[in-house]
Amino acid sequence: MIAQRLTDDIHLFRAIDWDRKLFDELVPLPEGTTYNAYLVRGRDKTALIDTVYPPKVEELIAALKAAGVERLDYIVANHAEQDHTGAIPALLALHPEAKVVTNAKCKRFILDTLPVDRDAFITVRDGGSLDLGGKTLTFHLTPWVHWPDTMVTFAVEDRIAFTCDFLGAHLATTELYARDEAQVAISAKRYYAEIMMPYRGFSADALAKVEALDPVLVAPSHGPVHDRPAFVFDLYRGWTADEVKPLVVIPYVSMYESTAKMVAYLTDRLAERGVAAQPVSVVDLDSGALAMSIVDASGIVFASPTVLGGPHPSLAAAAILINALAPKTRQVAVIGSFGWEGSLPEQVIGLLPRLEAEVLEPVMAKGLAREETLAEIARLADQLAGLNTAEAAAA
Ligand code: FEO
């Protein structure tokens, strides 16, 4: 780990996790990740904003020592998850004079999860500030970007917003700034979809709050720093907006090709109607790829054969995940096949209580989908394309 300069007095200490494949035992990390800690030196006091994941603690301590940091007055915790707070106990052991600066919720979570003394904290409110001597830090509560405790710290004189998870990306890189914007946009979208999308309204609120600070740098605690904040602001504005794109995502499983045939037929009919279709096999699912696919989707069609009277377990797992992610999709439907019985569509829809979407008529084939079933799928494509059948016939 090395210190990377943002200004003469503000440096990034970034632990790069090239090989981490999974976060929280749930979120795939195809590009690895970084844990960013920021050192801010004022005339009188020194603060560290966020720390690192526990396995990287020794790296951080060695890098701070190499940078000549002999005294630490404050450790600002923007968020209690251990990938940012993991080094606090070790840093407090080395710097017993330091205080942990955070909001009341974050303090409670840190006390719940780490061996930190209750007296080690300074609790701040929304809009509170800390004077380091010529450097002022202000604190801005931005709940639910990721947990209810999240906040943004702003270095007033340098106009740098430290946003922790918010506006970040799981992307292992040595580049200080987001130079390859196409690559960063993909990593940032994956991260937004997995972490922020379930609380989209809170992300929109947090975006407005950070934009109002008018930062010249946005410095998240994962991935590169943004020296062109408008880039990441515009991405988030699109993702958090109510508008959807004409895109139907089709999570599917097929055992004997009947459901696969229905998926292929639906895909073609949607394309004919000017609606993009994205079938996603949920066998060996990349949950991050599925999450990304539904960020702006206008519709989601779940496709499954009937297995033991219900959806295939892999399709059920995908439905549970999509429900938890609560995308802004406007329409949902279920298609699939059955052999002798089952209430597959009702069971799948029952897994989606968080989705505020219109539920369209399901299409189920007994065995292989034949002409009549395919005609029903064409009618479903009409509905997903915003056409009624009469309009479609006239087109
Ligand atoms: Fe990067 Fe929610 O922690």
Side-chain angles (χ1 to χ4, degrees):
M1 184 192 289
I2 57 165
Q4 292 178 296
R5 178 189 176 281
L6 298 186
T7 72
D8 285 348
D9 304 313
I10 302 180
H11 289 80
L12 162 60
F13 291 78
R14 176 161 45 179
I16 307 179
D17 210 339
W18 299 100
D19 299 322
R20 192 167 180 189
K21 298 290 181 230
L22 202 58
F23 204 96
D24 292 346
E25 298 301 315
L26 173 67
V27 175
L29 302 178
E31 308 291 343
T33 193
T34 75
Y35 318 100
N36 303 340
Y38 296 92
L39 190 77
V40 182
R41 295 181 207 248
R43 202 172 44 243
D44 307 318
K45 306 281 187 187
T46 297
L48 187 69
I49 301 173
D50 291 334
T51 73
V52 295
Y53 183 52
K56 300 290 185 181
V57 170
E58 292 309 318
E59 257 183 69
L60 176 64
I61 287 172
L64 289 171
K65 195 176 283 186
V69 179
E70 290 173 357
R71 183 184 167 89
L72 210 50
D73 299 287
Y74 304 113
I75 304 167
V76 176
N78 279 324
H79 169 35
E81 194 166 5
Q82 285 94 325
D83 53 323
H84 308 293
T85 56
I88 289 178
L91 288 170
L92 287 176
L94 281 173
H95 303 278
E97 72 283 3
K99 293 289 183 190
V100 179
V101 179
T102 191
N103 63 76
K105 278 187 184 151
C106 190
K107 173 183 173 181
R108 197 172 67 225
F109 292 156
I110 292 173
L111 287 170
D112 286 344
T113 52
L114 291 171
V116 178
D117 196 285
R118 185 171 290 278
D119 297 333
F121 289 87
I122 294 175
T123 307
V124 295
R125 294 174 186 273
D126 191 29
S129 64
L130 194 63
D131 181 11
L132 306 181
K135 295 253 178 258
T136 313
L137 299 179
T138 58
F139 307 102
H140 307 271
L141 302 191
T142 51
W144 293 106
V145 293
H146 174 204
W147 289 357
D149 62 328
T150 42
M151 71 177 191
V152 168
T153 297
F154 187 56
V156 175
E157 291 79 6
D158 300 282
R159 290 173 49 211
I160 302 175
F162 302 95
T163 56
C164 199
D165 284 345
F166 189 52
L167 309 175
H170 282 314
L171 176 63
T173 175
T174 56
E175 286 213 323
L176 176 57
Y177 294 113
R179 288 285 170 262
D180 185 344
E181 291 189 342
Q183 182 190 38
V184 174
I186 292 170
S187 298
K189 183 175 186 181
R190 180 179 268 265
Y191 194 50
Y192 167 82
E194 292 159 329
I195 302 293
M196 313 290 165
M197 184 163 65
Y199 309 103
R200 183 168 60 92
F202 285 98
S203 281
D205 294 345
L207 178 62
K209 218 162 179 175
V210 175
E211 282 195 283
L213 296 170
D214 192 23
V216 293
L217 295 180
V218 167
S221 296
H222 295 293
V225 174
H226 297 284
D227 59 351
R228 203 172 74 76
F231 160 69
V232 73
F233 291 163
D234 287 347
L235 291 176
Y236 265 70
R237 205 180 335 281
W239 298 332
T240 58
D242 287 338
E243 287 73 31
V244 293
K245 293 183 176 157
L247 165 67
V248 174
V249 175
I250 312 171
Y252 77 95
V253 187
S254 190
M255 292 163 66
Y256 284 100
E257 294 301 314
S258 177
T259 303
K261 181 179 174 185
M262 296 169 77
V263 169
Y265 193 79
L266 177 61
T267 300
D268 291 349
R269 299 294 80 74
L270 286 166
E272 284 172 355
R273 289 156 176 77
V275 176
Q278 188 175 342
V280 179
S281 169
V282 295
V283 179
D284 294 329
L285 179 67
D286 174 345
S287 59
L290 178 64
M292 282 174 77
S293 73
I294 59 174
V295 166
D296 295 311
S298 55
I300 302 175
V301 176
F302 296 86
S304 173
T306 301
V307 182
L308 299 173
H312 189 288
S314 296
L315 192 282
I320 289 169
L321 175 66
I322 288 173
N323 179 63
L325 295 173
K328 58 188 174 187
T329 192
R330 302 263 172 82
Q331 295 174 309
V332 296
V334 179
I335 63 175
S337 59
F338 65 101
W340 49 94
E341 58 92 17
S343 53
L344 187 155
E346 295 83 356
Q347 291 185 46
V348 173
I349 296 302
L351 296 173
L352 307 168
R354 289 192 69 191
L355 266 57
E356 296 174 1
E358 179 190 8
V359 179
L360 304 178
E361 275 297 307
V363 179
M364 295 296 293
K366 188 170 191 317
L368 196 63
R370 298 172 203 282
E371 208 167 301
E372 193 182 306
T373 306
L374 297 179
E376 286 181 49
I377 289 179
R379 285 194 287 276
L380 176 62
D382 287 339
Q383 291 180 290
L384 291 163
L387 301 170
N388 63 36
T389 308
E391 282 172 349

